[in-house]
Amino acid sequence: MVRPREGTRVPRSTLFILSILVIEVVALSALVWNSVRILNSSHDQLIESSADRVNDFLSRSVAPALAASQPTRVQAVLERLSEGTNLEYVRVLDREGRTVASRGQAPPEPREDAHPSEAGPEGVYDASSAIRADGERLGTLLTGHSLAPGRAFTSQAKLQNALIGGVEIVLTILATLFLGLSFTRNLRRLEAGARALAQGDYSHRIPVKGQDDFAPVARSFNDMAANLTGAQRELEEKNRALERQARHFRTLLDGVEAVVVEGDPNTLQLTYVSQEAGNLLGYPVTRWFQPGFWEEHVHPEDRETFLAGVSGHRDAPGSFSLDFRMLHRDGHAVWVRAINAVDRDEDGGLILRGLLLDVTKEKHSAERIIYLADHDPLTGLYNRGRFQEELERNITYAQSYAHDGALLVLGIDRFKYINDTLGHRTGDHYLHAVASALQDAVSEVDVIGRLGGDEFGIIRPKATPEEMEELAGALRARLAQPLVESGEYLSAVTASMGMVFFPRDGVRADDLLARADVALGTAKEEGRDRLHHYHEGAEAIGRMRAKIKWEDRIRRALREDRFRFHYQPIIHLGSGAVSHYEVLLRMETEDGELVGPGAFLDTAERFGMIGEIDRWVLENAIRVQGESRRVGRPVKLAINLSGRHLGRSDILELMNSAIEHQGADPRALTFEVTETAAVENLTRARQFIHTLRERGCRVALDDFGVGFSSFHYLKNLPVDMVKIDGSFVRALDRDEFDRRFVQAMSELTASLGIESVGEFVESGRIAEILEELGVGMGQGFHLGRPAPRFLEGGVPGGEGRRSAGGE
């Protein structure tokens, strides 16, 4: 922008031009004096010419200020340029005819472009000219030229007219040449500068010399070029910052383990896809932009659900989430969770933005959990709970249609020998192989399940004794063949079987299972590898009475407080110091013998007493810990918690009440939960474990590694300790697979900050291997047998307790 001039000094070029004009007027006056005839004939033309030049000069002078809409500056220019001239008045009008600036008194209605001979009696010649800049009309200049000086000089110009006219012509030519060269030189400089700016050369500058009229223009141009240079640098810096930010966001988006998408909710045409898309479906990102890609790669079975979910949010902004399957490039299905938001873009249209998460593992885990609620994790058969439900359903069906159904309970002969001699892992292989063999032998309508341990159950909805005899024979024949598990041949096994019919032998599932179990026991006593049908005879009654007797013994033991604790130490393998003790339950019989839990827990569970036993264990174990604190020998205890307790509020209340009442330290209590029980209800187990840990207690995952995808479930269970199942430990000194498996479990738990304990440490070599593999603690006969007293001394408050050896 051209800056206004400061002060009232008249530029030298203006003075020069004015001087030339004065000389011209004097010369013309002399000519008029010398030649009246000539002057009379050219007087009007001279006046018009002079007025035109003056007006042209004034127009060009005020044009910059008028273009800049600076009335004050226009007025200043008029004041400077019209002072000392023969102008009676000057008025500057804008485009609309409004007066912008004026000097002198103009007549009410001045005549525009009148002839000098038409001047009024006041002797003023009215003239007008357009004010232009760059070819654009900015306004109008109105002037009134006094004719008095001309008339006065006419009388004196008779003799001098010719000489002065000649001099005036010469001076005019010289002045015109000088001015022309001066102004065109400056215009050439300005043109060169404009061309340089157009080509992006913002460093170009116009030389400024002196204080002529072009100097402000040159300075303004140079200032503009400097501003453009600064603006260019600022713009380049902003562009670099935006590029850095864009790279940062691209890195973030591409680093997220989710596909970030953006597109049209109506056509599902994607306009942005992050790089993770290539990992989700195996297609390059460019393929995702092809029309119809998203919809076409939704699994056909989920396409209708997917389109319905999206169409419900095409009319207005909002958020929604969808789970559906998409097809991977290699053909397998990928479960995807789309978390979407529909917003309006800058133009007011709807745009869909969201994340596509791979939830395949989560879906499979959920399906696995649902599956495990009804199935045995090792064999894949129905578990005891689901099998009992199926039995009740079939009993109702048989009663409704007045026919008999059959229940067969099968137990593998001498399975304990397989476990004890070959190890639990081999025993698991046998169980799995037996389950497969049984499935091959039964019909499609039969229901088969694993009842626990080595016992299996088979329900035939409609059966006769002859058909069941035939089925039993087919089962024995199939098991007599070598078993195959994962390509490995196992030796054949035999099985004993007990059978009952319903509703003939009973209409309650519990009663039928108990009677079938009695028949199974009879089959084993009669020599095994045979089928025995339950009969209400003296023998069956005797067996039932034996079970009832055990029920009575358990109830009396509860009433008479004849349950005892033994304590087995868990040892730090590095130092040999005791970490804590596991509390093990024993029952004292009427004759003073201590029996292990295997002799009575199954009966207690069948007759509904297991809950009462669990409560006794919990209350008394907490009491023992509290007493150890009071006598100054505090111990840490690990208490086995039944799977049935997971999530039960009454157990939490009992635990809190006992801790407060006994003054126990919750930090010294570790509750052991079996992996099987925890995974059967993962959500409830996780919440229960959180509650225990918030109370200050610790939680250990027992039997870790058996039957489940332990590594997967471990991340969902916030435990403090895992106890590696003994089936992986007892053969560490001779089984390379067990060694690698234990090492993997040790490294995983260590990375998660979880302590590890190896069970069944039965030799010093196994203890050394566990320590080499990174397992911090061990438990087993080599390190310490279960005993009624702690290694440091007697059981606090344990007077009157009987002791017994064995585990």
Side-chain angles (χ1 to χ4, degrees):
M1 174 183 252
V2 179
R3 293 175 293 184
R5 302 203 36 197
E6 301 177 356
T8 58
R9 181 180 62 83
V10 178
R12 289 194 297 270
S13 59
T14 304
L15 292 176
F16 178 76
I17 294 172
L18 290 175
S19 300
I20 295 299
L21 291 175
V22 170
I23 294 172
E24 182 180 1
V25 171
V26 172
L28 290 173
S29 299
L31 288 174
V32 171
W33 176 265
N34 290 323
S35 180
V36 176
R37 184 180 60 84
I38 296 175
L39 288 175
N40 286 337
S41 62
S42 61
H43 180 265
D44 291 345
Q45 293 179 354
L46 292 174
I47 292 299
E48 288 180 6
S49 175
S50 176
D52 289 341
R53 286 195 297 273
V54 171
N55 282 9
D56 181 61
F57 175 75
L58 289 176
S59 297
R60 286 188 285 105
S61 298
V62 301
L66 185 59
S69 298
Q70 295 178 343
T72 305
R73 184 177 169 191
V74 174
Q75 185 67 40
V77 172
L78 292 182
E79 294 291 342
R80 288 197 302 270
L81 297 183
S82 61
E83 186 177 358
T85 65
N86 62 343
L87 295 173
E88 289 295 321
Y89 69 88
V90 180
R91 180 183 297 174
V92 177
L93 306 178
D94 59 14
R95 294 183 182 92
E96 286 75 24
R98 296 188 296 267
T99 300
V100 177
S102 64
R103 184 175 185 279
Q105 185 65 36
E109 295 182 0
R111 296 175 298 170
E112 296 183 7
D113 298 331
H115 196 269
S117 62
E118 299 174 357
E122 66 274 17
V124 176
Y125 167 55
D126 299 317
S128 68
S129 61
I131 303 174
R132 299 181 182 275
D134 298 328
E136 181 183 0
R137 182 184 178 94
L138 303 177
T140 305
L141 176 68
L142 300 179
T143 55
H145 301 264
S146 175
L147 299 179
R151 292 174 179 175
F153 282 113
T154 300
S155 61
Q156 300 176 9
K158 294 179 180 180
L159 297 177
Q160 303 173 4
N161 184 54
L163 178 61
I164 293 175
V167 172
E168 187 271 339
I169 291 172
V170 173
L171 292 177
T172 299
I173 293 173
L174 292 175
T176 302
L177 290 174
F178 176 79
L179 291 175
L181 291 174
S182 175
F183 279 106
T184 56
R185 181 177 65 251
N186 292 335
L187 288 174
R188 286 195 299 274
R189 292 177 182 173
L190 188 60
E191 179 186 8
R195 188 180 298 110
L197 293 183
Q199 296 173 354
D201 182 11
Y202 300 129
S203 63
H204 184 86
R205 298 294 183 270
I206 298 177
V208 179
K209 297 179 180 180
Q211 297 296 327
D212 58 7
D213 287 343
F214 187 72
V217 177
R219 281 193 293 270
S220 297
F221 179 91
N222 293 339
D223 291 343
M224 179 181 67
N227 291 336
L228 288 174
T229 301
Q232 182 189 34
R233 292 173 181 169
E234 183 179 356
L235 183 60
E236 290 174 350
E237 181 59 34
K238 288 182 178 179
N239 286 336
R240 285 192 291 269
L242 288 174
E243 289 176 359
R244 289 193 297 270
Q245 188 177 26
R247 286 195 301 270
H248 176 67
F249 280 121
R250 282 196 299 270
T251 302
L252 287 178
L253 292 177
D254 292 339
V256 174
E257 292 186 0
V259 179
V260 183
V261 297
E262 182 179 270
D264 188 333
N266 293 299
T267 64
L268 295 178
Q269 174 66 43
L270 297 174
T271 56
Y272 175 81
V273 180
S274 64
Q275 293 298 318
E276 182 64 18
N279 297 327
L280 182 65
L281 299 184
Y283 293 100
V285 174
T286 53
R287 287 285 301 276
W288 286 67
F289 295 110
Q290 294 179 356
F293 177 88
W294 194 359
E295 179 180 348
E296 291 172 1
H297 285 80
V298 175
H299 195 284
E301 296 178 4
D302 297 342
R303 192 167 296 161
E304 184 176 350
T305 302
F306 167 75
L307 294 176
V310 175
S311 63
H313 298 81
R314 286 175 172 172
D315 299 329
S319 300
F320 62 99
S321 178
L322 292 173
D323 286 3
F324 54 92
R325 287 167 294 175
M326 296 189 72
L327 297 176
H328 194 275
R329 188 173 188 174
D330 61 14
H332 74 270
V334 178
W335 271 103
V336 172
R337 176 165 299 152
I339 303 174
N340 305 301
V342 177
D343 298 317
R344 294 198 180 277
D345 58 17
E346 297 79 3
D347 300 327
L350 293 177
I351 186 170
L352 183 144
R353 298 185 178 95
L355 298 175
L356 300 182
L357 305 174
D358 186 349
V359 293
T360 304
K361 292 182 179 179
E362 178 183 334
K363 288 290 185 179
H364 290 171
S365 298
E367 292 171 358
R368 177 67 173 167
I369 292 172
I370 295 173
Y371 177 83
L372 290 175
D374 292 330
H375 293 78
D376 172 58
L378 177 61
T379 63
L381 302 177
Y382 282 152
N383 57 23
R384 187 182 187 91
R386 177 61 186 275
F387 185 84
Q388 190 163 333
E389 292 175 3
E390 291 293 321
L391 179 57
E392 291 172 349
R393 185 177 63 82
N394 279 278
I395 292 171
T396 302
Y397 181 82
Q399 288 178 306
S400 300
Y401 291 93
H403 64 251
D404 282 340
L407 166 65
L408 186 148
V409 175
L410 178 149
I412 303 174
D413 295 332
R414 298 183 178 86
F415 184 72
K416 186 175 184 301
Y417 173 80
I418 295 175
N419 263 341
D420 291 343
T421 57
L422 302 179
H424 287 277
R425 186 160 64 88
T426 302
D428 288 347
H429 288 328
Y430 266 96
L431 290 174
H432 195 277
V434 168
S436 297
L438 296 180
Q439 287 176 301
D440 292 340
V442 299
S443 66
E444 294 181 357
V445 298
D446 295 337
V447 179
I448 182 169
R450 183 186 176 196
L451 304 181
D454 64 340
E455 289 189 5
F456 297 85
I458 299 173
I459 302 170
R460 177 155 287 186
K462 186 176 181 180
T464 64
E466 293 76 17
E467 289 175 345
M468 294 307 295
E469 289 283 353
E470 183 180 350
L471 173 62
L475 293 174
R476 288 198 302 273
R478 178 66 183 84
L479 294 176
Q481 302 173 11
L483 302 175
V484 179
E485 166 63 15
S486 301
E488 178 182 355
Y489 281 86
L490 306 174
S491 60
V493 297
T494 61
S496 300
M497 297 171 233
M499 180 176 62
V500 294
F501 287 89
F502 53 85
R504 180 196 312 174
D505 296 326
V507 293
R508 295 181 66 250
D510 288 339
D511 293 341
L512 288 171
L513 285 169
R515 289 164 182 168
D517 191 53
V518 169
L520 173 63
T522 302
K524 289 187 176 182
E525 288 180 358
E526 291 179 349
R528 297 184 172 87
D529 192 23
R530 65 189 63 232
L531 169 68
H532 186 83
H533 181 196
Y534 173 82
H535 294 287
E536 288 286 355
E539 176 188 352
I541 293 174
R543 292 186 178 277
M544 292 297 295
R545 285 176 178 174
K547 289 185 177 292
I548 293 174
K549 182 179 179 181
W550 265 108
E551 177 191 5
D552 183 62
R553 295 171 72 182
I554 296 170
R555 292 191 186 280
R556 286 205 312 270
L558 284 168
R559 286 197 306 270
E560 298 170 6
D561 194 21
R562 285 192 282 105
F563 285 99
R564 304 289 181 260
F565 283 151
H566 276 198
Y567 309 93
Q568 186 172 24
I570 285 83
I571 305 297
H572 287 290
L573 296 176
S575 63
V578 176
S579 169
H580 58 283
Y581 294 87
E582 181 177 358
V583 177
L584 303 174
L585 184 64
R586 303 287 187 265
M587 189 180 81
E588 184 178 350
T589 63
E590 294 84 347
D591 57 3
E593 179 187 2
L594 287 183
V595 296
F600 58 86
L601 282 186
D602 183 63
T603 301
E605 185 167 1
R606 290 196 177 190
F607 286 91
M609 295 178 291
I610 190 66
E612 193 172 353
I613 294 176
D614 288 340
R615 295 173 69 89
W616 187 93
V617 170
L618 187 62
E619 288 180 321
N620 284 275
I622 293 175
R623 176 186 58 78
V624 169
Q625 204 288 321
E627 290 176 354
S628 74
R629 296 183 69 196
R630 288 194 290 275
V631 299
R633 294 198 300 270
V635 294
K636 297 179 180 179
L637 301 178
I639 307 168
N640 287 285
L641 200 59
S642 173
R644 67 181 63 247
H645 289 156
L646 293 178
R648 286 179 50 177
S649 59
D650 60 326
I651 292 299
L652 289 173
E653 293 174 2
L654 173 64
M655 179 194 70
N656 289 326
S657 175
I659 290 175
E660 295 297 332
H661 180 69
Q662 300 293 342
D665 182 5
R667 295 170 297 179
L669 298 174
T670 299
F671 291 95
E672 294 187 4
V673 180
T674 63
E675 178 188 350
T676 303
V679 174
E680 282 182 350
N681 196 325
L682 192 62
T683 302
R684 187 173 65 182
R686 183 167 55 242
Q687 183 178 359
F688 190 73
I689 291 172
H690 273 302
T691 303
L692 290 176
R693 297 185 71 193
E694 288 175 357
R695 186 68 177 83
C697 303
R698 306 180 75 207
V699 179
L701 195 61
D702 200 6
D703 299 335
F704 184 67
V706 177
F708 291 94
S709 302
S710 304
F711 297 116
H712 171 71
Y713 288 108
L714 189 59
K715 72 176 183 179
N716 294 300
L717 296 171
V719 298
D720 304 283
M721 182 186 304
V722 296
K723 300 185 72 174
I724 302 173
D725 188 73
S727 62
F728 301 104
V729 176
R730 63 175 63 190
L732 274 181
D733 54 346
R734 57 184 184 276
D735 193 316
E736 183 63 26
F737 175 83
D738 286 347
R739 185 176 303 189
R740 291 181 180 179
F741 195 80
V742 171
Q743 182 177 11
M745 288 190 283
S746 172
E747 292 174 351
L748 173 66
T749 55
S751 67
L752 297 175
I754 299 174
E755 295 180 300
S756 57
V757 180
E759 298 179 311
F760 287 82
V761 181
E762 298 174 354
S763 69
R765 179 55 184 157
I766 291 177
E768 292 175 0
I769 295 174
L770 282 174
E771 187 176 3
E772 291 172 1
L773 297 178
V775 178
M777 291 175 282
Q779 178 182 6
F781 283 178
H782 174 73
L783 301 174
R785 290 176 176 270
R789 297 180 181 276
F790 303 126
L791 295 179
E792 292 85 351
V795 179
E799 294 80 1
R801 303 293 185 203
R802 300 288 298 268
S803 64
E807 190 171 12

